[in-house]
Amino acid sequence: MQRSTQRGHRSVPHTADVRVEAWAPDREACLAEAVAALVETFADISGARAEADTEFELPPGDDEDLLVGLLDEVIFRLDAEGALPLDCDVRSTGDGGLRARWRSTSTEAVELVGAVPKAVSLHELRVGPDAAGWSCAVTLDV
């Protein structure tokens, strides 16, 4: 993956679904970038104002499980509450789990610009350290 910055994300071409890649110097920042990448695939959040704070923990697991769990939480809250993260901060809990926190807004306060993801696919899921830090790639079912 060619990187233009130390931290970032992008969508990449995929036949039927949406595929995103994210990268950062460390695992937690990479996972936070994956959340931003997911949101960017279907919503324009520029100019949106935060309406709530959300914090939750993911139980200990391997890196793939943590990535899927984090993105699944975004999709669940989107579906159940109509809430959309504007930013995301991910921290290790020290026991192999994660604590995520984001400021969120309502889907009614943003412009939807693409198909809303329904699930995270395990097919071709990738997350781990690389030569420049950490990177991940995930396919989202729409």
Side-chain angles (χ1 to χ4, degrees):
M1 165 186 340
Q2 181 72 13
R3 296 184 186 178
S4 58
T5 63
Q6 268 213 314
R7 181 175 174 156
H9 59 270
R10 67 180 178 182
S11 294
V12 293
H14 193 271
T15 51
D17 296 310
V18 174
R19 187 149 175 92
V20 296
E21 296 177 343
W23 59 91
D26 58 64
R27 180 185 73 164
E28 290 75 15
C30 181
L31 298 179
E33 285 293 330
V35 169
L38 180 152
V39 171
E40 196 174 277
T41 66
F42 69 94
D44 177 3
I45 61 171
S46 62
R49 293 184 313 136
E51 299 170 356
D53 287 327
T54 300
E55 187 172 322
F56 63 94
E57 289 192 12
L58 293 170
D62 62 28
D63 297 327
E64 290 83 6
D65 289 342
L66 294 171
L67 173 61
V68 171
L70 181 62
L71 298 180
D72 276 346
E73 187 71 21
V74 173
I75 293 169
F76 168 76
R77 291 182 186 257
L78 175 66
D79 186 50
E81 303 168 357
L84 190 61
L86 297 176
D87 56 34
C88 184
D89 180 59
V90 178
R91 308 273 177 176
S92 173
T93 57
D95 64 356
L98 294 176
R99 179 175 294 114
R101 181 182 178 120
W102 60 57
R103 295 176 312 125
S104 63
T105 193
S106 160
T107 53
E108 295 173 2
V110 300
E111 180 181 357
L112 298 180
V113 295
V116 176
K118 300 295 180 204
V120 177
S121 173
L122 301 179
H123 182 67
E124 297 182 350
L125 177 70
R126 180 182 51 78
V127 60
D130 62 20
W134 277 73
S135 64
C136 66
V138 63
T139 302
L140 305 168
D141 297 332
V142 294

